[in-house]
Amino acid sequence: MTAARIVVVGTGYVGLTTGACLASLGHRVTCVDVDQTKIARLSAGRVDILEPGLAELVTRGLTSGRLGFVVGAREAVRDAEGVFLCVPTPMGAGGSADLRAVEAVTSEIGDVLPTGCALITKSTVPVGTAQRIRAMLGRTDIPVVSNPEFLREGTAVADFLGPDRIVVGSDDLDAARWVGDLYADLDAPVVVADAASAELVKYAANCFLAMKLSYVNSIAELCERLGADIDLVTEGMGHDRRIGRTFLKPGPGWGGSCLPKDTSALVRVAESVQYDFRMLTSAIEENIAQRDRIVAKIAGAVGGTLAGARIGVLGLAFKAGTNDLRDSPALAVSSVLGALGAELTAYDPAVGGEIAGMVVVDDPYQVAKSADAVVVLTEWNEFKRLDWTYFAELMEGDTVVDTRNLLDPHRIIDAGLVWQGVGRPRAAHRPVSAANV
């Protein structure tokens, strides 16, 4: 299709990635935000989000003239053909999605949108939001389209430009097809649906992944109790094409900017139509239980009580490859450890500054100094390359609790330490044999 005039409202992970990627596809894109400092930095090509390839796309878009940044949406949308809403929809009171930002932008721009301009929700919104926006607009000449994002932090650019599918939904199917055509240069199937179905797709996908993660954490717990190895169990499962290999790694629980709020929001949506979504509520409960099991595992590593225990923490971000701390399971576990009296020293290669309840350091070896135990909470590959013999020299205790099963247990054991993973047989000191004397 010919280049379209696009406005993207919001310059967070989703908004900035959407704007930069659409510009790379040849569209003329204006990204809008209320934060003047952020807009000034982005206009100068300065990207603060840790996202591979994003800064390069922004620079390329600015240089080509296809990408620009302005403060205030009202003037920007006056000649737009499509406006993407990429504003936060956090968990609100009672667990429902908080749509105040969506509603505020709709109210701000509703009367100045040009006739025929598609108003597109890219933010994750509950079923019925398109209908709600149409009622707020009070205009029959503005099609409302749902175009949910499926971007993973750390791979957002790759996910946008190489998607599994593109979902667009509207009660105006011509408008839905027009939005789908914006992605014509991408090799991906386009699913055209009604608005309600498109809105539900994102929740259905994210909640399925959350349930899969809770399931594998439950199986990992069974492995520990039955003497099985979760790595071998999931390898056997993953060969089954009906199941697949992804989202089969146990850990300290799931988190991030999407899964916690989306699972909660879908439970509330189900309740609104008198459906008790027990499978999903159980997955949420299991996620909390997994955090508590990890805390108990760490407590066991220091003799049973955390009061006064010195714990070294490796990893704070909710996943490797990002500096995002929103609903991080690493922070959730650390918070409970601190509340139970542990003294925490933490390191993350992408996170600095002050965090309540712990000392954040800029050198991973500092977390080992006088530590009674060290716990790996985020799966940064950097941790695999640490000198664990040096860790052993610095530590007071001898146990490494690897909640991501990231490390090579033999390297930890050879360093004179005890390795303890999740769902795997406990690895202790290697016995000294005549061959090693």
Side-chain angles (χ1 to χ4, degrees), residues 151-391:
L151 307 179
R152 298 165 297 169
E153 292 185 32
T155 59
V157 171
D159 291 341
F160 191 102
L161 297 177
D164 295 325
R165 76 294 203 194
I166 295 160
V167 177
V168 288
S170 178
D171 295 339
D172 183 335
L173 291 183
D174 287 337
R177 293 188 184 99
W178 181 84
V179 173
D181 286 344
L182 295 174
Y183 304 90
D185 288 344
L186 302 181
D187 183 19
V190 178
V191 179
V192 178
D194 59 274
S197 297
E199 289 169 337
L200 187 54
V201 166
K202 176 60 183 293
Y203 282 106
N206 271 5
C207 292
F208 179 81
L209 295 176
M211 289 190 291
K212 193 174 182 182
L213 287 169
S214 283
Y215 179 78
V216 78
N217 282 334
S218 296
I219 294 297
E221 178 64 17
L222 278 181
C223 285
E224 293 192 12
R225 299 187 184 201
L226 298 173
D229 188 326
I230 189 64
D231 281 6
L232 298 176
V233 172
T234 54
E235 181 183 356
M237 292 171 63
H239 284 291
D240 189 327
R241 287 171 293 181
R242 298 169 302 172
I243 297 173
R245 295 177 180 276
T246 59
F247 283 76
L248 283 182
K249 289 187 70 66
W254 41 264
S257 61
C258 293
L259 296 189
K261 72 180 184 66
D262 290 353
T263 50
S264 179
L266 189 56
V267 168
R268 299 287 90 78
V269 167
E271 289 175 348
S272 73
V273 290
Q274 292 76 54
Y275 177 65
D276 182 5
F277 205 152
R278 284 175 288 178
M279 187 181 296
L280 186 54
T281 55
S282 293
I284 295 169
E285 292 166 359
E286 170 61 25
N287 196 46
I288 297 170
Q290 179 69 0
R291 178 202 65 194
D292 293 341
R293 286 194 292 265
I294 294 296
V295 170
K297 189 184 294 286
I298 297 167
V302 295
T305 179
L306 287 160
R310 295 182 294 275
I311 306 296
V313 174
L314 289 172
L316 294 169
F318 92 92
K319 62 182 279 190
T322 177
N323 56 359
D324 196 346
L325 296 174
R326 289 176 291 178
D327 276 303
S328 167
L331 280 186
V333 169
S334 297
S335 176
V336 176
L337 294 174
L340 294 174
E343 300 174 10
L344 307 178
T345 303
Y347 168 80
D348 187 291
V351 177
E354 295 183 3
I355 297 178
M358 67 183 71
V359 176
V360 180
V361 296
D362 58 7
D363 180 345
Y365 295 101
Q366 288 182 267
V367 308
K369 294 178 68 173
S370 301
D372 296 309
V374 169
V375 55
V376 177
L377 290 171
T378 309
E379 69 279 20
W380 289 99
N381 281 329
E382 172 185 323
F383 299 154
K384 296 180 183 179
R385 300 187 292 270
L386 294 173
D387 183 344
W388 288 97
T389 300
Y390 186 39
F391 256 73

